[in-house]
Amino acid sequence: TVGAVARDRDGNLAAATSTGGMTAKMPGRIGDTPIPGAGTFADNATCAVSATGHGEVFIRYTAGAEIAARMRHLGETLEQAARHVVMEDLAPNDGSGGLVAVDSEGNITLPFNCEGMYRSSVREGSDPETAIYAE
Amino acid sequence: MSGYSLAIHGGAGTILKSKMTPEKEAAYREGLSTALEAGEAVLRKGGSAMDAVEAAVCALEDEPLFNSGRGAVYTSAGAQEMDACVMDGRDRSAGAVAGIFGPKNPIRLARAVMERTPHVLLIGPRALELAQEAGLEFGDRDYFFDQKRWDALQKTMQMRESGEEDDDPARRHG
């Protein structure tokens, strides 16, 4: 699975996710990627999210929408909300994987609960950062 | 308003350091850098977040190292089925496709669903018709074929046939 989230100079957010599914999956099986609110989510008031992982669990926990809900209703930061969903909601429930997310201020977070996640990010005026393992 | 931000991923899972050679790691980093630059180039010129994420994901779909587009894995039937989605934070408009094969960049078709139809998610022949109407580029089985993905399918099917236990959560990753 691959994905991207962005905030442009006008403050607009967007998310995109694309996948081939999982190796030897049952034909017709659909994961979280094409389900808005699960693997892909964007709302200018909160955040944009693109996820990768055990799709069925990301769907059950509506991962992307849950992060936005925690920000909106609990007043959590993007970092707090995303970390909670990845580490406290998904991880204990067989939801291995991770996500990339950006908020309306341009803050970025890239949490994952497995061994690694291919990821890269940049903010205007800063150098790009690329990583694979926890670093 | 402050400046732009962009983040991308190329999948997650059990990425064993013991199997990661310097050459492989360099290739993955290069693929990620290329995709990030594709998206950042849009934002640097004042482009929209939606155009930026589309550009970044297209670059990832074109890179066989990653599981989407040209690098898509195989189903148990030996086929490739691709899913994609876009969502616009300005108004929560969204477009998605599922189970498709043909368009080189499924993410462009997801955006076409968002912009050209009143719907959110399309599957089946009508989705491919929309891709043709939108003038999207198609690839054939040879374009999408990837030896390492095919080999991974054979290995997984052999494990299933032999009843080998597999508790690697990464195998359930999209």
Side-chain angles (χ1 to χ4, degrees):
Chain A
T1 304
V2 306
V5 293
R7 176 202 188 274
D8 60 32
R9 285 176 178 153
D10 292 327
N12 295 315
L13 305 183
T17 316
S18 180
T19 191
M22 54 188 183
T23 300
K25 73 172 185 176
M26 179 187 294
R29 176 266 185 185
I30 306 296
D32 61 315
T33 293
I35 300 180
T40 309
F41 181 82
D43 176 20
N44 276 6
T46 52
C47 61
V49 179
S50 174
T52 174
H54 187 177
E56 280 74 6
V57 184
F58 281 66
I59 293 170
R60 292 179 189 129
Y61 283 82
T62 56
E66 181 69 9
I67 293 168
R70 295 187 71 88
M71 294 174 70
R72 194 165 62 244
H73 299 301
L74 293 177
E76 291 186 344
T77 65
L78 176 72
E79 172 73 21
Q80 290 170 330
R83 180 158 289 278
H84 183 95
V85 169
V86 171
M87 301 302 183
E88 308 298 328
D89 292 341
L90 298 172
N93 293 292
D94 206 22
S96 170
L99 55 85
V100 297
V102 62
D103 68 15
S104 57
E105 299 300 316
N107 298 302
I108 291 171
T109 188
L110 311 96
F112 56 97
N113 59 33
C114 45
E115 186 165 342
M117 180 170 77
Y118 299 107
R119 60 200 188 276
S120 190
S121 64
V122 67
R123 292 190 71 165
E124 186 166 10
S126 300
D127 291 332
E129 296 180 8
T130 299
I132 299 174
Y133 302 101
E135 295 168 10
Chain B
M1 283 293 177
S2 57
Y4 61 74
S5 297
L6 174 68
I8 66 171
H9 68 80
T14 305
I15 307 167
L16 292 175
K17 285 187 179 178
S18 60
K19 292 186 177 178
M20 179 65 83
T21 65
E23 292 77 18
K24 274 186 185 176
E25 182 166 346
Y28 279 112
R29 287 179 178 274
E30 178 67 24
L32 289 168
S33 295
T34 298
L36 192 75
E37 172 54 29
E40 188 179 8
V42 173
L43 296 169
R44 196 182 294 125
K45 289 186 285 189
S48 71
M50 179 56 65
D51 287 343
V53 295
E54 179 185 341
V57 169
C58 280
L60 292 164
E61 289 176 333
D62 293 342
E63 170 54 71
L65 284 172
F66 303 110
N67 176 24
S68 68
R70 204 171 190 182
V73 300
Y74 291 88
T75 70
S76 60
Q80 289 162 305
E81 297 176 349
M82 298 166 211
D83 315 325
C85 182
V86 295
M87 189 161 178
D88 191 329
R90 289 175 297 187
D91 58 2
R92 288 196 179 216
S93 56
V97 289
I100 64 158
F101 177 83
K104 288 185 175 180
N105 295 106
I107 203 69
R108 292 196 197 281
L109 181 52
R111 186 165 180 178
V113 172
M114 180 178 76
E115 295 180 343
R116 290 169 172 256
T117 82
H119 309 300
V120 171
L121 173 58
L122 281 185
I123 65 167
R126 186 64 190 96
L128 296 180
E129 288 173 15
L130 178 66
Q132 290 167 338
E133 290 167 10
L136 301 186
E137 197 173 357
F138 278 61
D140 57 16
R141 286 182 66 88
D142 288 342
Y143 172 81
F144 286 104
F145 179 80
D146 184 81
Q147 189 65 51
K148 71 177 184 308
R149 300 298 192 199
W150 184 255
D151 293 345
L153 171 65
Q154 306 313 313
K155 183 179 178 185
T156 301
M157 298 305 283
Q158 287 169 5
M159 287 172 65
R160 287 184 183 174
E161 285 178 16
S162 66
E164 188 175 339
E165 284 293 324
D166 178 23
D167 59 357
D168 180 356
R171 286 193 183 277
R172 299 191 295 271
H173 281 204

